[in-house]
Amino acid sequence: MAEQAITARGEGNNEYMMSKQKSESFVFVKEDPLPLRYRPIADQTLGVRKSPLSSDAKHVRFEEGKDFVVDYDQATIRRTEGSRIPDGSQHPMYGVSPFDHTQYPDYSNRNYTVYADYWTDDPRTDDRFTVSDVERSAYLKRIARKLSSGEEALYVVYGDSISAGGEASEERLAYYGRFAESLRLLFPEGRIKIVNKSVGGEASDGGASRILDDVVPRQPDLVSIGYGMNDQNRHPHGNSVPLKLFESHLRYMVETLRKECGCDILLVTPCEPNPHWEHASGATHLYADTIKKLGVEYGVGVADAHALWNEELSAGKTPESLLLNNINHPNDYGHWIYSCAFASMLKL
């Protein structure tokens, strides 16, 4: 999570822009190095802490050189031998593949996850969007009009446990809370009311079955729809919801909202589950592709969290470092990745 860029001065009094990467998450294994997502500036402080919230007065702060070592040239970080940072190799599910999470009393990564803050000059940390981006995209006509007029706008969050905020420390750090806050900052004269009608463990068939009762009567100004994670779950009989049915359910939800509400609609693609989980089908990308196809067909925005998630994995982030429940729920940093997909959607 990056703070707004500021101007700094380097050698020879040359100016450059830098921003702060906040709460980047890691699960370290032994003394193996992990890549930092962005190259840190060597003469700036790099801090590692146990709590995802920097405001947590009780959290443990780890000491560079004693608990962890940073290679500023290679942009990597590792725990030291004897470090106070938890060792992910001590997780009872470490090295088990495929794993059945129901066989473990505590299968989460909560006790092994730490968070780093550091300064970087990498421009990719910018997760902001502007009023011009909103207007140019034309995806948020109704909610932008109401907010700019000083009215209250209703944002209904619809989907599965990720959209319910699963594993986010606070609602404001869940992806929808971050997105709503960005809109509040752009349109301070208006007010946004969030109503979350997401259901943990639900697939798209459940969403389609209850949208007339749970969403339409509220007459929202904006609805984001986030399904696919539970649909892709692998079982002996096949995926929970086959791809064609998944597409049919999404079509029904979009067409129902258009007919009954006339609201702005955003679709959200799912992240990747832990590939070692026994229910990970390896087909999440197909569900994400279906969502993107429907976005183009209906002319609605798609926050492609799946694409940004895969960029993180390709850059060396481990699934364990992004999934707090070790299965399919993003941690705070993972929710930030989701929120960046909203910015990317509007900047296209």
Side-chain angles (χ1 to χ4, degrees):
M1 293 157 264
E3 287 185 349
Q4 186 172 351
I6 62 174
T7 303
R9 293 186 181 275
E11 294 183 6
N13 209 32
N14 294 321
E15 289 188 354
Y16 63 95
M17 300 299 294
M18 67 179 189
S19 59
K20 194 170 189 179
Q21 174 75 338
K22 296 181 65 179
S23 301
E24 182 174 336
S25 51
F26 300 86
V27 171
F28 292 105
V29 172
K30 303 176 183 178
E31 289 79 56
D32 298 341
L34 289 175
L36 291 154
R37 186 62 180 90
Y38 307 104
R39 185 177 300 280
I41 298 173
D43 61 357
Q44 300 291 326
T45 301
L46 189 152
V48 177
R49 49 190 163 78
K50 187 67 182 74
S51 172
L53 303 175
S54 59
S55 58
D56 186 350
K58 297 181 180 179
H59 68 199
V60 177
R61 294 184 182 274
F62 301 105
E63 184 179 340
E64 184 171 0
K66 180 179 179 181
D67 296 304
F68 66 94
V69 175
V70 179
D71 186 325
Y72 289 90
D73 292 329
Q74 298 298 318
T76 62
I77 183 171
R78 64 174 179 85
R79 67 187 294 279
T80 60
E81 186 177 1
S83 172
R84 293 177 296 162
I85 295 174
D87 179 0
S89 71
Q90 300 304 306
H91 194 295
M93 286 156 50
Y94 174 72
V96 179
S97 183
F99 64 76
D100 176 0
H101 67 284
T102 64
Q103 301 302 308
Y104 299 85
D106 181 6
Y107 51 84
S108 81
N109 288 317
R110 188 177 301 275
N111 293 331
Y112 300 91
T113 305
V114 297
Y115 302 85
D117 304 324
Y118 59 93
W119 289 93
T120 179
D121 58 5
D122 194 314
R124 294 174 297 172
T125 60
D126 189 359
D127 58 357
R128 296 166 295 166
F129 55 89
T130 66
V131 172
S132 295
D133 293 327
V134 171
E135 293 173 344
R136 186 173 55 251
S137 73
Y139 294 141
L140 301 173
K141 287 182 179 180
R142 179 162 161 175
I143 194 169
R145 182 173 65 251
K146 293 192 74 169
L147 292 175
S148 62
S149 298
E151 300 177 58
E152 180 177 85
L154 176 60
Y155 171 24
V156 171
V157 187
Y158 203 57
D160 54 28
S161 54
I162 298 174
S163 293
E167 308 300 333
S169 299
E170 300 176 358
E171 183 181 62
R172 67 182 179 87
L173 297 177
Y175 78 78
Y176 60 85
R178 297 175 190 273
F179 176 55
E181 181 59 21
S182 295
L183 290 175
R184 288 189 185 103
L185 293 174
L186 291 184
F187 302 98
E189 59 273 31
R191 302 175 306 282
I192 301 178
K193 180 180 179 181
I194 298 175
V195 173
N196 199 317
K197 300 302 293 183
S198 303
V199 173
E202 187 174 72
S204 62
D205 51 352
S209 70
R210 62 186 179 88
I211 196 164
L212 280 171
D213 294 329
D214 283 5
V215 180
V216 170
R218 299 178 179 275
Q219 288 297 296
D221 300 295
L222 168 66
V223 178
S224 62
I225 302 174
Y227 287 101
M229 178 60 76
N230 296 321
D231 298 82
Q232 69 80 42
N233 285 352
R234 180 179 61 189
H235 299 282
H237 66 273
N239 292 358
S240 291
V241 177
L243 204 57
K244 288 188 178 298
L245 279 178
F246 175 71
E247 179 176 336
S248 176
H249 297 151
L250 285 184
R251 285 185 182 277
Y252 175 76
M253 286 186 267
V254 171
E255 291 174 5
T256 298
L257 291 174
R258 280 194 161 173
K259 177 183 177 182
E260 303 292 340
C261 303
C263 59
D264 298 325
I265 303 169
L266 301 177
L267 305 178
V268 185
T269 62
C271 66
E272 286 285 343
N274 192 322
H276 302 296
W277 182 39
E278 67 173 359
H279 295 300
S281 66
T284 310
H285 66 287
L286 299 178
Y287 290 81
D289 287 345
T290 297
I291 294 169
K292 289 185 284 185
K293 181 186 75 172
L294 294 178
V296 172
E297 180 177 335
Y298 286 107
V300 300
V302 176
D304 193 2
H306 183 264
L308 295 188
W309 195 273
N310 279 336
E311 286 183 13
E312 296 283 326
L313 294 174
S314 296
K317 299 298 292 186
T318 64
E320 293 77 15
S321 293
L322 300 175
L323 298 167
L324 197 62
N325 72 343
N326 204 25
I327 301 170
N328 55 9
H329 286 178
N331 57 27
D332 286 352
Y333 181 71
H335 274 278
W336 175 71
I337 296 169
Y338 266 74
S339 71
C340 287
F342 286 78
S344 298
M345 169 190 70
L346 295 172
K347 290 177 180 180
L348 286 177

